[in-house]
Amino acid sequence: MSAEQSGETVGSIAELYLGNILYALELAALSLDEQNRPADAAFYRGIARKLAEARGREKA
C-alpha cells in the first residue's frame, strides 16, 4: 500500500510528530550554540517558531 493509498501526506505525518520535530530542531540549535554558530542555531529556531505558530493558528 502506498502512502497515497493510506492517506499519509507529509503534512499529516509532520502534524502527528510535530512535538518530536520541534524537540529535534531545538537539540540541533543547542548543538550549534555549543559550536559557537549562533546564526545557524537561530535558523533552526526560526523553523521551529514558524511550525509552532502555524500549529497555533490551526488550533485557533
Side-chain angles (χ1 to χ4, degrees):
M1 178 182 284
S2 72
E4 186 176 296
Q5 291 171 329
S6 68
E8 290 181 327
T9 64
V10 171
S12 68
I13 294 168
E15 185 176 353
L16 179 63
Y17 294 105
L18 183 60
N20 302 80
I21 293 167
L22 294 174
Y23 178 73
L25 287 168
E26 181 57 22
L27 286 180
L30 287 171
S31 176
L32 290 164
D33 278 337
E34 289 176 359
Q35 296 172 38
N36 199 27
R37 296 170 57 190
D40 294 328
F43 174 78
Y44 285 97
R45 286 189 175 112
I47 293 170
R49 188 177 315 107
K50 282 187 162 288
L51 289 168
E53 288 171 353
R55 179 64 172 178
R57 286 190 301 272
E58 282 182 355
K59 290 284 188 177

